[in-house]
Amino acid sequence: MQLKNTNISLCVALVAAFVLTGCDDKKSKEKAAIINPDPFPSAYQPLPSGATLIKNVTILDGIGGRIEKGAVLIQDGKIASLGQNLVADSETTVVDGQGKWVTPGIIDVHSHLGVYPAPSTSSHSDGNEMTAPVTAQVWAEHSLWPQDPGFGRALAGGVTAMQILPGSANLVGGRGVTVKNLPNRVVQDMKFPGAPYGLKMACGENPKRVYGDKGGPGTRMGNVAGYRQAWADAQEYQRKWDLYYKEFDAGKEPEQPKRDLKLDTLGKALKGEILVHMHCYRADDMGTMLDVMQEFGYKISTFHHAVESYKIADKLASAGVCSAMWADWWGFKMEAYDGIQENIPMVHAAKACAIVHSDSELGIQRLNQEAAKAWANGRRAGLDISQADAWQWLSANPAKSLGIFEQTGSLESGKNADLVLWSADPFSTYAQAEHVYIDGALVYDRNDPTSWPVSDFELGQPGEGDSK
Amino acid sequence: MKALISLVATSLLCSAVYAQNYAIVGATVHTMGAKGSIENATVLIKDDKIQGVISGEFDRGGYQIIDASGKVVTPGLIGAHTSLGLVEVSSSAGTVDSEVKKVKFSHVGAAVDASYGINPDSSLLNISRIAGVTSAASSVSDTKQLFSGQGAIITLGDKTQAVLKARAFMGVNMSNHGADNIGGSRAVLWVALERAISEAEFAGPKALSPAQEWHGELSKADLKALWPVVNGDIPLIMDVRRAADIRQVIRFKQRHPKLNIVLLEATEAWRVADELVTNDIPVILNPESNLPYAFDQLGATLENAARLDKAGVRVVIGMESHNIRLAKQHAGNAVANGLPWQQGLAALTINPAKIYGIDTLLGSIEEGKQADLVIWSGDPLEVTETAEQVFIQGKLLDMQSRQTKLRDRYLDLNQGRPMSYVRP
């Protein structure tokens, strides 16, 4: 009896002690504040697909390989195998591509589809948050209108994925987003699962022209001071959070730093979790940024437009920075005045990463032709690059630039079956994409007009369902 | 290619005093004229003009022989709608002669005259001509008034006198942009156009002197500029895009039958093709413009050129300045989307020559015409093929531009000295 009473009072005492302890140490039992790194997760679902065998085709695998009279087998949305004389079972759809070509799907690292959509009304003009020079806090996906008819046009041109970026008015324009070219009702439906974010930055004429009369920057030197201060501010913000976690782990009760969306994003870019994509034309502007990169210990993934990369291709190769370029745009600004038609092959020949991009809702429809022009101009200048190698500019290098090369960008076993069946050699004005596959599903078939995607905007309008 | 380069060197030495005669031998020649396309033909150039296109043997005396076996020869390409010679760098780079502010002496923009602003030294001319563009229609892009002024036909081959024909055409924008400039609405824009044309018709051919009274709304300078338009001597290039606006233009032409009208852009022209044929209205278009950029371009399609041509409309392609050299790619894309190949080439050569009334001089390789022609590496509409040698006004061009020089300077980055010391 006495023992039982003792036990009960012990229990009571223990419980009381426990409760009292709980009240005193409640704060230290809280978790440290974590910033959700993925508040807008991808809801992408591939279209259903069965096994497909495409045979009797010339294949460019996207990493320098070429197979004549080849075949590619797609299973469960992935490339199962490439080669000659592949065999399919009775469940497999067989496509006989006599005389045709297969390549990886084209990836455009520089597009404003959805954020500057058609129709280009002022109410749709959502690509540049022109309210301050540094707006790292905005995310392009929040401006992206999935009903832009331009996505369907790009699909017909063999584009299976792209990076949608803010414009180049700002020093730091905000986060870009990598998407599969399969728009649906909300933007999350097309977000590329597992793709890192991009951060758009811009050097040269645009930011200083936009902000020159609005308190600056008004000069190139003002631009550079702007980036450097932004990075320095991000470093200070990082220190605050690092200290917060350190103190938290040490059992102290640190005050949570005030969350700053702009510095969140900049900090992640410094750490390499977000890839930096910088609009930059002139050789000297790029040269400056290579040093800013060193100063703050981050990496520029890719210079965009990079009209003068041919002048510093060796430096770009050493620094491991990609150049996303046009085949032949020039002259619309002073910083584009020295554009030449051999830019892309000269960068490639110097062993720097070369990419063909569009920055155009029209150009995106024919990136294969842009690569063809660059390839041919390179050959005429004595740069003997094979077509198989040149296709890297359209798929593998863009995929690497966007951090998605493990999943796509080449025809390799196990990777996403993102590919295009072309009516002819795609290095030609006359070649057209006949079939486009994303994750193994046939998402575009030129020969079946009733299957073509029609955006909401085009329903009930002149030309609905027409060949575009 | 190297053979052609040494020929260039030789001819540059020779051409100082006498006009050089050339025989371009062994190519597939697309004359764009009565003789059509001929394989293994010879083009004879004499005294800066086309002497003829022949097959078989001929007396080679007096001609410098250019071996073009395996190549393709076409007339020089004509830039159908450009601001060549009027612009160097478009943005934030000083005076741009293709951009005009409103002026008092012109009430409707008709008196603006682009021919005064043409600069033959513009880098755009060299860059375009070595790519096969040998002449062009050039005009101011926007006057912020009703008409975009009088444009000029220019040659890309003459550094002292580029203008072949001044005051050669008139432009007017009757699409959204035009409405934005004039009263904010087509309800005002079209009334303004009708009034201007009617007034010019009323004023007649004789230019008004300062002493004469005039109570109309147009300035005397505008009236003088508009007479050739209302008399049908020069074409009126009208930017319209949607079917409804194109039909307005057709009715406008029916009200003023003397007018020589050409549509520009004409995004939805395919929907009105038969009426355009009946009313003899040709079209300058961008075959790659296939997006609903605005509510007046909803029916845009890559098949526009093919559908128009099939109905019998004369189609012209080539609407850029800095990259007018890409017109051949645009024509190739029209061909990829249904336009017959010969019509694709015609859209760049004889068709622009005809709409501007310069086809007695240019646009085809026929006896008596100016010797503007191009030796291509292969099919000119194929993006991988290029102009290997260009002739303008019978002269063999030095195939260099500042872009080829930049390329040559930077091809080898290991120079051991600053790049400014490297002479390409």
Side-chain angles (χ1 to χ4, degrees), chain A residues 113 117-121 148-150 153 205 209 309-315 328-334 337-342 346 350 361-362 365-366 369-370 372-373 375-377 380-381 383 427-432 446 457-458 461-463 466-468, chain B residues 88-93 123-124 127 268 270-271 286 288-295 298-303 307 322-323 325-326 328-333 335-337 341 377 379-386 402-404 406-408 410-414 419:
Chain A
L113 285 177
S120 57
T121 60
D148 184 352
R153 310 293 194 270
E205 289 183 36
R209 187 184 66 242
S309 276
Y310 66 94
K311 300 186 184 181
I312 50 163
D314 49 352
K315 296 184 201 285
D328 46 32
W329 286 22
W330 74 281
F332 43 97
K333 290 187 281 187
M334 280 310 299
Y337 194 47
D338 283 5
I340 64 173
Q341 294 179 280
E342 296 83 2
M346 283 167 75
E361 62 286 332
L362 295 183
Q365 301 179 46
R366 284 168 291 277
Q369 291 183 23
E370 299 309 296
K373 286 190 286 186
W375 169 76
N377 283 312
R380 282 188 283 269
L383 302 172
F427 288 74
S428 163
T429 327
Y430 306 116
Q432 307 214 309
R446 185 170 297 269
F457 180 71
E458 296 182 289
Q461 301 281 24
D466 192 10
S467 169
K468 298 293 182 185
Chain B
E88 196 62 23
V89 173
S90 329
S91 163
S92 307
S123 66
L124 280 78
I127 284 160
E268 292 193 346
W270 60 273
R271 300 175 66 200
N286 173 5
E288 292 171 6
S289 186
N290 68 337
L291 276 161
Y293 287 109
F295 284 102
L298 297 180
T301 170
L302 293 172
E303 293 189 4
R307 294 175 186 176
H322 287 87
N323 266 337
R325 61 189 171 179
L326 298 182
K328 74 183 193 70
Q329 178 182 11
H330 306 326
N333 280 306
V335 171
N337 286 280
W341 189 90
S377 57
D379 173 0
L381 304 190
E382 184 54 278
V383 281
T384 47
E385 305 291 353
T386 192
R402 67 178 303 273
Q403 290 185 359
T404 62
L406 280 164
R407 171 200 67 200
D408 293 342
Y410 282 94
L411 263 173
D412 180 1
L413 292 174
N414 302 314
M419 283 309 203

Side-chain angles (χ1 to χ4, degrees), chain B residues 11-18:
Chain B
S11 64
L12 283 170
L13 289 168
C14 298
S15 63
V17 181
Y18 302 105

Side-chain angles (χ1 to χ4, degrees), chain A residues 54-107:
Chain A
I54 306 173
K55 61 179 192 176
N56 293 326
V57 284
T58 302
I59 299 175
L60 300 181
D61 65 10
I63 47 173
R66 175 178 175 139
I67 306 171
E68 302 288 352
K69 295 187 176 58
V72 54
L73 178 64
I74 300 169
Q75 280 173 340
D76 301 319
K78 305 279 184 219
I79 307 286
S81 51
L82 288 179
Q84 288 167 324
N85 304 319
L86 297 184
V87 183
D89 62 28
S90 56
E91 300 294 305
T92 304
T93 306
V94 177
V95 176
D96 189 343
Q98 279 290 5
K100 297 178 184 165
W101 289 52
V102 166
T103 68
I106 296 175
I107 300 171

Side-chain angles (χ1 to χ4, degrees), chain A residues 12 34 50 81 90 161 183 194 207 232 275 281 321 332 406-407 421 442 452:
Chain A
V12 168
I34 306 282
S81 51
S90 56
L275 304 177
Y281 286 68
V321 178
F332 43 97
E406 285 201 9
Q407 303 183 48
L421 172 67
L442 179 60
W452 299 341

Side-chain angles (χ1 to χ4, degrees), chain B residues 98-259:
Chain B
S98 59
E99 287 163 29
V100 170
K101 299 190 183 110
K102 282 189 188 180
V103 281
K104 282 199 174 144
F105 71 82
S106 174
H107 302 166
V108 293
V112 167
D113 185 343
S115 67
Y116 289 108
I118 303 292
N119 179 16
D121 285 326
S122 165
S123 66
L124 280 78
L125 267 58
N126 260 4
I127 284 160
S128 304
R129 69 191 204 165
I130 65 171
V133 180
T134 54
S135 59
S138 186
S139 57
V140 160
S141 48
D142 184 8
T143 57
K144 318 281 186 302
Q145 293 179 295
L146 179 59
F147 295 96
S148 48
Q150 304 162 90
I153 305 298
I154 66 169
T155 175
L156 276 69
D158 192 328
K159 296 288 187 185
T160 51
Q161 171 59 304
V163 177
L164 292 177
K165 187 179 181 196
R167 295 169 289 284
F169 58 96
M170 180 71 68
V172 66
N173 191 314
M174 302 304 289
S175 53
N176 281 350
H177 184 71
D180 291 342
N181 275 346
I182 309 295
S185 161
R186 287 163 175 78
V188 177
L189 177 64
W190 270 102
V191 174
L193 179 65
E194 268 298 335
R195 288 169 69 135
I197 294 298
S198 302
E199 215 175 275
E201 285 168 344
F202 176 79
K206 209 148 174 270
L208 293 162
S209 82
Q212 283 173 284
E213 274 189 42
W214 172 251
H215 298 286
E217 281 172 5
L218 268 56
S219 71
K220 293 174 182 175
D222 287 328
L223 290 170
K224 184 170 176 215
L226 279 172
W227 176 252
V229 175
V230 299
N231 203 40
D233 301 327
I234 67 174
L236 179 62
I237 316 288
M238 303 182 74
D239 183 329
V240 277
R241 309 194 185 194
R242 68 186 189 193
D245 289 346
I246 294 170
R247 292 200 168 94
Q248 285 291 3
V249 171
I250 291 169
R251 282 180 222 124
F252 172 68
K253 186 172 182 185
Q254 288 166 349
R255 293 194 293 275
H256 306 273
K258 281 172 85 176
L259 288 176

Side-chain angles (χ1 to χ4, degrees), chain B residues 319-375:
Chain B
M319 293 169 54
E320 269 149 317
S321 296
H322 287 87
N323 266 337
I324 187 64
R325 61 189 171 179
L326 298 182
K328 74 183 193 70
Q329 178 182 11
H330 306 326
N333 280 306
V335 171
N337 286 280
L339 184 69
W341 189 90
Q342 282 283 344
Q343 295 303 82
L345 187 55
L348 303 169
T349 53
I350 191 63
N351 286 354
K354 287 212 151 116
I355 65 167
Y356 288 111
I358 52 171
D359 52 303
T360 50
L361 183 68
L362 292 168
S364 60
I365 304 175
E366 294 186 279
E367 190 181 328
K369 289 200 178 184
Q370 188 165 295
D372 283 10
L373 53 90
V374 184
I375 303 176

